Amino acid sequence: MNTSSITALPGVELKSPGAGLITLDPVHTALLRGLDGLLSALAARLAAPEILGPPLLSVDGLARLDFFRNFPHLGVSAGRFGPEALDGLAAGGAPQDLPLAPTGHLLPSATCYGLLLSLEGQDVGEDGLRVSSVGRCFRNETHYDGLRRLWGFHMREVLYLGTKDGASEHQERGGEFVQEVAGRLGLTLTRAAADDPFYDNGGSRARLMALDPVKFEYSAPDGTAIASVNRHRNFFGERLDIRAGSLGPAYSSCVAFGVERWVHAMILAHGTAESALDRLRSAADSFS
């Protein structure tokens, strides 16, 4: 990774377009791109080909996955100006004063939802399936905080669907990879069980989670969660009729990285974006 020619924009300050929104300068952009490239090494190790998910998700599909029951606060709806608003816009009316018509779609809050919905009704076989993807995700939060908590951000995921044992192995190997990469980057992370099940959090599956945690988060010293490893049991396999050959509904698990949060963690650890980029270059040159 050649970073010698990457510098800040001379005499220009990039301002935030609003709460939870940010424009990255060349150094921060190089850091984000380089980190995503390094994190993509997990997909290469696991032979998970790169795919690109849809930019919008249907509310009907998300409802079948209990999204609105469990995360009603996160959804960012996609609206469009209806025919009745077009004349007002053409006449110079203020867009914010004109009605938006619902489209029946949301912006993704996580990369894996679009991938899973795209596999509905498929048979991944007893050998299972792995895919990797990075997507821009959006979450309606109560507050925003620099790179730690954004309205729109990049999430890299490596997803597995197949057997129960395969899902557990994927989660374990993902956790090992997180700690390996963190060590090479000079990051100290803590691992803790998370308490935000994706399924009905008042049901038997949620009670089972208390006995067998299915999600672990890895956090920087300031408490920012920058990665997670998630095991979904056969929830998505059942809801979306995704099968693992003769074994029935597929089990699934994923490893997720919030890329902007990795940028934050690197700057926290190394002081400046430039120093963080130098450390990333050294780590990338020696990583295999």
Side-chain angles (χ1 to χ4, degrees), residues 184-207:
R184 289 178 178 269
L185 292 172
L187 302 179
T188 301
L189 305 181
T190 57
R191 175 181 181 269
D195 59 356
D196 56 343
F198 49 86
Y199 39 71
D200 178 7
N201 54 26
S204 59
R205 292 177 184 267
R207 290 192 293 273

Side-chain angles (χ1 to χ4, degrees), residues 119-263:
L119 290 167
E120 182 172 9
Q122 299 296 306
D123 188 340
V124 299
E126 296 182 13
D127 291 336
L129 172 73
R130 284 186 173 92
V131 293
S132 180
S133 186
V134 65
R136 182 68 71 92
C137 298
F138 301 84
R139 295 182 181 180
N140 181 39
E141 302 277 13
T142 57
H143 69 283
Y144 299 101
D145 182 10
L147 291 169
R148 299 182 63 192
R149 191 175 296 271
L150 288 163
W151 198 356
F153 56 95
H154 293 83
M155 182 182 294
R156 160 71 60 183
E157 294 200 43
V158 183
L159 173 68
Y160 168 86
L161 294 110
T163 66
K164 182 178 181 180
D165 289 344
S168 296
E169 179 192 16
H170 186 78
Q171 183 185 39
E172 181 178 351
R173 292 185 67 179
E176 292 170 352
F177 177 84
V178 171
Q179 294 288 31
E180 178 187 352
V181 173
R184 289 178 178 269
L185 292 172
L187 302 179
T188 301
L189 305 181
T190 57
R191 175 181 181 269
D195 59 356
D196 56 343
F198 49 86
Y199 39 71
D200 178 7
N201 54 26
S204 59
R205 292 177 184 267
R207 290 192 293 273
L208 179 60
M209 182 182 174
L211 302 175
D212 179 24
V214 298
K215 177 176 181 178
F216 293 91
E217 289 184 334
Y218 296 81
S219 298
D222 66 349
T224 302
I226 68 172
S228 65
V229 291
N230 313 266
R231 192 161 39 87
H232 315 130
R233 301 196 178 92
N234 59 358
F235 175 81
F236 291 120
E238 289 180 342
R239 291 294 177 92
L240 297 175
D241 187 30
I242 303 172
R243 302 172 303 284
S246 63
L247 301 179
Y251 284 71
S252 61
S253 59
C254 70
V255 186
F257 308 95
V259 190
E260 279 85 352
R261 290 187 172 196
W262 279 79
V263 173

Side-chain angles (χ1 to χ4, degrees), residues 6-9 12 14 22-31 273-274:
I6 298 172
T7 61
L9 297 175
V12 174
L14 297 172
I22 195 166
T23 301
L24 300 181
D25 65 21
V27 178
H28 287 76
T29 298
L31 188 52
E274 289 79 6

